[in-house]
């Protein structure tokens, strides 16, 4: 065994390394898991016990020699490669300026909205973007074949004629997160549900087939519509400034009663005339929704809303076309550094 180790040592010492290919061949031959040194170590079981210490020292000596030979040759090749390089630029010139990126304007608006609702005492909940029919429609007081479903035409992942099989859809709002939350958590609940949603709509300057929402749900005893109005007014003043011009008007949604909508006066600098732009729908949670998740509507009341993040960003930055958020035009995105 010692003779074999000595022969392997001489082989390592006599190996010539002058190229990257020879360096890799040396590594594979001696240092890899299937190399000669590892194979030599695997023969330790053949060595008598009284010689194991002597043989082990000899084998470690060969292993260290091979590793040192490899490292030295590698460093020498790297030095030679660096020496062959010739500078083609004046290295005394300052480096070109580094252009930092930035968050997308929708991401920026999302974060501002979240921070405001944190201050107003809301937590955050999340849920899947692919939803079943029960959570997206039925539990929210949209019975099957109800005409109100036409207001939220969506993209179907699975459509089944069997009434016992739930359809799968791309969620049309983040309200299903409210249902899932109420199924898992007993009131009181005070949470926002931000996320991406989808609807089968014609693309126009004011609508797109996907957009982002921040919905909210507040369930407790003795919740009133006055609290809803005050929360919404506080939000728009924190978001747009205390001089913001807003209005609340009656609305209709299957999952709230009574319902209202909120508009902000929109007057782009480059246009002569302004107009009202709807930013959200809201209302008191319909008792049927509470019953669907086994919450007693005689004991608990609550309010909910859904607001569009794109609409908030358009108002905030005086943008008159929702499509620019998704075109990834660098000239547009650079304005939000």
């Amino acid at each position: 065994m010692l003779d074999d180790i000595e022969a392997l040592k001489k082989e390592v010492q006599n190996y010539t390394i002058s190229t990257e290919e020879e360096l890799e061949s040396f590594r594979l031959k001696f240092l890899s898991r299937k190399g000669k040194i590892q194979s030599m170590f695997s023969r330790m079981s053949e060595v008598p016990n009284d010689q194991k210490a002597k043989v082990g020292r000899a084998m470690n000596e060969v292993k260290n020699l091979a590793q040192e030979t490899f490292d030295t040759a590698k460093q020498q090749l790297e030095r030679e490669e660096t020496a062959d390089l010739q500078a083609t630029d004046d290295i005394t010139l300052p480096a070109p300026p580094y252009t930092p990126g930035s968050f997308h304007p929708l991401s920026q608006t999302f974060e501002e909205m979240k921070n405001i609702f944190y201050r107003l005492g809301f937590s955050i909940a999340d849920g899947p973007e692919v939803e079943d029919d029960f959570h997206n429609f039925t539990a929210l007081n949209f019975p099957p074949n109800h005409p109100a479903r036409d207001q939220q035409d969506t993209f179907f992942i699975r459509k089944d004629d069997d009434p016992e099989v739930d359809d799968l859809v791309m969620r049309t709002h983040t309200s299903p997160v409210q249902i899932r939350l109420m199924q898992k958590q007993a009131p009181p609940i005070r949470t926002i549900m931000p996320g991406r949603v989808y609807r089968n709509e014609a693309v126009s300057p004011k609508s797109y087939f996907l957009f982002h929402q921040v919905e909210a749900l507040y369930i407790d005893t003795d919740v009133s519509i006055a609290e809803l109005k005050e929360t919404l007014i506080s939000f728009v003043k924190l978001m747009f400034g205390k001089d913001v011009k807003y209005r609340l008007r009656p609305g209709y949604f299957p999952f709230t009663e009574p319902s209202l909508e909120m508009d902000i006066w929109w007057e782009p600098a480059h246009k002569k005339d302004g107009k009202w732009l709807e930013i959200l729908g809201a209302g008191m949670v319909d008792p049927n929704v509470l019953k669907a998740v086994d919450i007693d509507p005689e004991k608990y009341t609550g309010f909910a809303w859904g607001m569009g993040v794109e609409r908030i960003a358009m108002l905030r930055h005086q943008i008159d076309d929702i499509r620019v958020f998704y075109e990834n035009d660098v000239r547009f995105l650079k304005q939000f550094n």
Side-chain angles (χ1 to χ4, degrees), residues 200-304:
N200 185 16
E201 295 188 2
V203 176
S204 72
K206 297 296 182 291
S207 63
Y208 207 67
F209 53 83
L210 73 88
F211 56 99
H212 298 78
Q213 278 190 327
V214 173
E215 294 200 8
L217 177 69
Y218 178 32
I219 302 291
D220 206 341
T221 55
D222 302 320
V223 177
S224 69
I225 197 168
E227 292 175 277
L228 168 61
K229 292 170 64 176
E230 186 58 34
T231 302
L232 296 178
I233 292 170
S234 297
F235 166 75
V236 296
K237 287 185 176 180
L238 289 169
M239 191 75 192
F240 299 107
K242 62 180 181 180
D243 296 327
V244 62
K245 188 176 181 182
Y246 64 87
R247 73 177 181 186
L248 297 168
R249 55 186 172 83
Y252 165 74
F253 304 101
F255 34 83
T256 55
E257 180 61 38
S259 302
L260 58 87
E261 296 178 56
M262 190 174 203
D263 304 326
I264 299 294
W265 182 252
W266 189 51
E267 194 169 351
H270 61 283
K271 292 188 176 182
K272 295 181 179 179
D273 299 322
K275 61 180 178 180
W276 291 104
L277 184 67
E278 178 192 344
I279 63 166
L280 62 87
M284 301 302 293
V285 178
D286 192 291
N288 288 333
V289 175
L290 298 178
K291 291 176 183 177
V293 291
D294 297 324
I295 292 178
D296 184 0
E298 298 296 326
K299 179 179 180 181
Y300 294 104
T301 55
F303 62 71

